[in-house]
Amino acid sequence: GLGLPLGLAAWAGFLVALYQLIRHRRWEHLLIVVWVGITFAYSGQQWVKTMRYFLQIYPFLALLAGYFIVALWDKVSQQSTVNSRQKILAKAIVGLVGTVVVGYTLFWASAFATIYMRPVSRVAASRWMFENIPPGSIVANEHWDDPLPLRVDGKDPFGGMYHSLSSSPGDGEMHWYDEDTPEKRTQAIEWLDEANYIVLSSNRLYGSIPRLPMRYPMTTKYYQWLFDGTLGFDLVATFASRPQLFGIEINDDNAEEAFTVYDHPKVLIFKK
């Protein structure tokens, strides 16, 4: 979220502020050091360490990064035991550090903001589906993710236009998070036999399940075979909205779920 240069500068600033607070009783650092330190320590030792739990300290980390750069510049400027050439070199290095931190942060923030200047990838995928998937088709979506197509442009996809899986009880979706059992294998074969299209509206499942191959050996194999075409489904459409600026695109497909799935997920559509 912060970017590597800003993150490094922020934690360097935290350490400087902590040292000054303890060593020199600089009480103006108390609130920010306590808030950042306690929040990070508490959330950092939780079982789930998702980025959104740290959002409340991001502004203060940015302040600490700025404080570090300014403190570094002041330290160099106040040096009286070095000659002018050394001082100029030291200032140039500090200036370069500041330029990298501020410049990269501006670039990253601007690039990330561009995702909100384009249609949400799920909306773009939904419009493509209305235009390219014949009415009456059976569209298989995954449980625990947003089913597509969405209701956009006055069209109700599952009000008779498309059909969900009748072989999946309840919500008509593929329940890949269920434990791999013989019953699930039978169910999976029915899903694949029935579906005309398979929609992955994010990497929520295929980005997590294959990380547990001992728990999900069959489902891990399913995703492998889906992507390489073994199951008889071809990838016919991909929709992604990544951070980009000046023609430079930052591939954040593998970032954690909270960073991509909610507002700019990568959508994949497979056709039998």
Side-chain angles (χ1 to χ4, degrees):
L2 287 174
L4 181 60
L6 181 61
L8 292 175
W11 287 111
F14 176 82
L15 293 176
V16 170
L18 179 63
Y19 171 79
Q20 292 182 347
L21 175 64
I22 296 174
R23 182 70 175 82
H24 301 292
R25 301 297 190 271
R26 295 280 297 275
W27 299 112
E28 64 268 27
H29 298 314
L30 180 63
L31 288 178
I32 193 170
V33 166
V34 169
W35 174 244
V36 171
I38 290 179
T39 302
F40 185 82
Y42 174 79
S43 298
Q45 57 83 35
Q46 297 299 312
W47 184 61
V48 177
K49 304 178 183 65
T50 183
M51 291 171 57
R52 64 182 181 271
Y53 297 161
F54 297 92
L55 287 177
Q56 60 267 35
I57 64 173
Y58 277 20
F60 302 99
L61 289 174
L63 288 174
L64 287 168
Y67 176 74
F68 172 72
I69 295 171
V70 172
L72 202 59
W73 179 268
D74 290 343
K75 184 72 173 178
V76 170
S77 300
Q78 294 167 6
Q79 289 293 328
S80 58
T81 59
V82 296
N83 58 45
S84 58
R85 173 176 290 185
Q86 291 175 326
K87 182 175 287 189
I88 291 173
L89 178 60
K91 284 187 174 181
I93 294 174
V94 175
L96 178 61
V97 171
T99 300
V100 170
V101 171
V102 175
Y104 182 87
T105 302
L106 282 172
F107 170 80
W108 170 246
S110 300
F112 188 78
T114 63
I115 68 173
Y116 302 107
M117 300 177 185
R118 299 184 293 270
V120 178
S121 49
R122 286 187 174 122
V123 173
S126 297
R127 289 184 172 132
W128 182 92
M129 294 173 72
F130 286 132
E131 294 174 359
N132 294 275
I133 296 182
S137 297
I138 298 174
V139 178
N141 282 281
E142 297 184 313
H143 181 61
W144 212 259
D145 210 347
D146 289 18
L148 299 183
L150 302 172
R151 292 181 175 88
V152 296
D153 304 329
K155 298 177 180 178
D156 184 0
F158 295 103
M161 188 172 187
Y162 300 124
H163 302 294
S164 301
L165 294 170
S166 61
S167 56
S168 182
D171 53 21
E173 297 173 347
M174 298 182 290
H175 288 242
W176 293 116
Y177 273 138
D178 292 352
E179 298 296 332
D180 279 4
T181 62
E183 292 76 19
K184 179 182 174 182
R185 181 181 62 186
T186 301
Q187 184 81 81
I189 293 173
E190 293 177 359
W191 297 336
L192 297 175
D193 184 58
E194 183 182 0
N196 301 126
Y197 291 84
I198 292 177
V199 179
L200 311 183
S201 68
S202 77
N203 67 346
R204 176 170 278 166
L205 278 77
Y206 74 80
S208 59
I209 288 177
R211 295 181 182 182
L212 299 170
M214 294 186 69
R215 179 176 179 179
Y216 292 108
M218 181 193 73
T219 309
T220 298
K221 208 67 177 175
Y222 157 74
Y223 282 115
Q224 177 186 330
W225 287 344
L226 176 65
F227 283 108
D228 68 17
T230 300
L231 294 178
F233 286 82
D234 296 326
L235 179 63
V236 292
T238 301
F239 300 87
S241 179
R242 303 184 181 101
Q244 55 183 285
L245 192 68
F246 305 133
I248 301 173
E249 183 179 77
I250 302 172
N251 190 330
D252 62 350
D253 292 349
N254 294 322
E256 74 152 273
E257 177 179 306
F259 192 69
T260 58
V261 168
Y262 301 142
D263 53 8
H264 63 292
K266 182 178 180 181
V267 180
L268 305 174
I269 301 175
F270 296 83
K271 177 182 179 181
K272 180 177 289 181

